[in-house]
């Protein structure tokens, strides 16, 4: 199994409070991602990183920020949590694109962080 | 923009019966295609992937999928379903012109297996 650890695994918080979710990998993979999973919506990309201090937005980035100061850690921050951000958050890692020179492109997922915003 | 449609939200099959889960994608060129499986309370695990070459790909746990360019489909099949296959299945498409990890997922198909 890929070495991906998400913390916390469960969190209940109140509207307006800041929340930070952490993803830690031991695989030394270049790419890291944050997805959210909601019933009927599959997984939607929030933000991703293609290297230390290199990040970009996904399709549902509003209300979220990320940081990657080390290869192994990717933080997702909700500056002021809202009830619409209640979700299960998955971190994923990848060793690169699908070309043979750059890796398989497949994603390895953490076990998820369930966030409830009251 | 790329997109994925999984037409079946929920499928029920009897143990030992064959299975086919449908996936249609939209992408302007030949995509990277993936099937992932998610057991309750777990993250997603890759079942199989298609990048190029043989359009019939084999995966783990006895699953296979066939890429059909003319139909923009990548259906997942298994000849004989086991009770442990009950899970949610996601089809995903990755763009070739960028990091394939920026995959777009379908909404998923939940598989129930009857004894």
């Amino acid at each position: 199994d890929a070495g991906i650890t998400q913390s916390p695994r469960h969190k209940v918080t109140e509207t307006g409070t800041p929340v930070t979710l952490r993803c830690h990998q031991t695989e030394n993979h270049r790419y890291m991602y944050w997805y959210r999973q909601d019933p009927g919506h599959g997984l939607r990309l929030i933000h991703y990183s293609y290297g230390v201090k290199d990040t970009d937005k996904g399709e549902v980035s509003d209300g979220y920020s990320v940081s990657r100061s080390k290869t192994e850690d990717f933080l997702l921050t909700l500056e002021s949590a809202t009830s619409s951000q209640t979700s299960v958050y998955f971190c994923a890692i990848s060793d690169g694109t699908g070309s043979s020179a750059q890796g398989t492109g497949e994603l390895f997922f953490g076990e998820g962080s369930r966030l409830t915003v009251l | 923009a790329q997109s994925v449609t999984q037409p079946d939200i929920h499928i029920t099959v009897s143990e030992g019966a064959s299975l086919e889960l449908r996936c249609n994608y939209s992408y302007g060129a030949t995509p990277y295609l993936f099937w992932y499986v998610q057991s309750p309370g777990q993250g997603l695990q890759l079942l199989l992937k298609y990048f190029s070459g043989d359009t019939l790909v084999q995966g783990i746990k006895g699953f296979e999928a066939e890429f059909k360019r003319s139909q923009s489909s990548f259906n997942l099949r298994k000849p004989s379903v086991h009770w442990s296959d009950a899970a949610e299945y996601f089809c995903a498409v990755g763009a070739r012109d960028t990091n394939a990890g920026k995959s777009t997922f379908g909404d998923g198909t939940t598989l129930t297996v009857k004894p």
Side-chain angles (χ1 to χ4, degrees), chain B residues 95-115:
Chain B
R96 284 185 178 270
D97 59 355
T98 184
N99 174 15
K102 281 180 63 181
S103 294
T104 298
F105 287 80
D107 290 344
T109 298
T110 299
L111 173 65
T112 298
V113 180
K114 294 191 301 184

Side-chain angles (χ1 to χ4, degrees), chain B residues 46-105:
Chain B
L46 182 73
L47 280 176
L48 46 79
K49 61 191 177 189
Y50 171 79
F51 285 165
S52 63
D54 193 346
T55 56
L56 184 64
V57 295
Q58 303 297 320
I60 63 171
K61 305 183 181 184
F63 286 91
E64 66 178 27
E66 186 171 12
F67 170 56
K68 293 185 177 180
R69 184 191 307 273
S70 61
Q71 299 177 19
S72 297
S73 69
F74 189 57
N75 294 349
L76 181 71
R77 301 193 294 250
K78 186 170 185 178
S80 178
V81 170
H82 187 263
W83 64 266
S84 61
D85 293 325
E88 190 161 19
Y89 292 80
F90 293 92
C91 181
V93 60
R96 284 185 178 270
D97 59 355
T98 184
N99 174 15
K102 281 180 63 181
S103 294
T104 298
F105 287 80

Side-chain angles (χ1 to χ4, degrees), chain A residues 9 31 33 35 37 40-43 45 48 90 94 96-99 103-107 109-111, chain B residues 32 34 36 38 41-46 49 51 88 90 98-108:
Chain A
R9 294 290 313 281
Y31 299 91
Y33 310 83
Y35 283 88
Q37 184 178 32
H41 289 279
L43 280 84
L45 182 64
Y48 69 102
F90 285 98
S94 170
T97 68
S99 69
T104 64
E106 71 180 88
L107 297 174
F109 284 85
E111 294 192 341
Chain B
Y32 297 134
F34 308 86
Y36 291 87
Q38 183 182 32
Q42 302 295 315
L44 281 72
Q45 178 186 20
L46 182 73
K49 61 191 177 189
F51 285 165
E88 190 161 19
F90 293 92
T98 184
N99 174 15
K102 281 180 63 181
S103 294
T104 298
F105 287 80
D107 290 344

Side-chain angles (χ1 to χ4, degrees), chain A:
Chain A
D1 290 346
I4 308 169
T5 304
Q6 292 186 228
S7 60
R9 294 290 313 281
H10 301 272
K11 185 171 182 65
V12 179
T13 191
E14 294 187 349
T15 298
T17 61
V19 176
T20 295
L21 305 180
R22 179 179 183 243
C23 179
H24 178 79
Q25 61 145 329
T26 58
E27 305 298 319
N28 200 36
H29 281 1
R30 177 182 176 187
Y31 299 91
M32 298 186 75
Y33 310 83
W34 279 106
Y35 283 88
R36 61 177 288 174
Q37 184 178 32
D38 305 288
H41 289 279
L43 280 84
R44 292 178 291 176
L45 182 64
I46 304 171
H47 281 280
Y48 69 102
S49 170
Y50 47 95
V52 173
K53 298 186 180 180
D54 290 324
T55 65
D56 205 348
K57 297 178 179 179
E59 62 179 301
V60 290
S61 60
D62 288 348
Y64 302 95
S65 62
V66 291
S67 65
R68 191 170 179 198
S69 59
K70 298 185 290 185
T71 297
E72 58 265 36
D73 290 327
F74 192 34
L75 304 181
L76 176 70
T77 297
L78 292 66
E79 299 290 347
S80 178
T82 68
S83 58
S84 65
Q85 294 176 311
T86 293
S87 186
V88 180
Y89 292 86
F90 285 98
C91 174
I93 64 175
S94 170
D95 61 359
T97 68
S99 69
S100 59
Q102 294 180 285
T104 64
E106 71 180 88
L107 297 174
F108 298 94
F109 284 85
E111 294 192 341
S113 296
R114 182 175 295 275
L115 175 66
T116 301
V117 183
L118 302 176

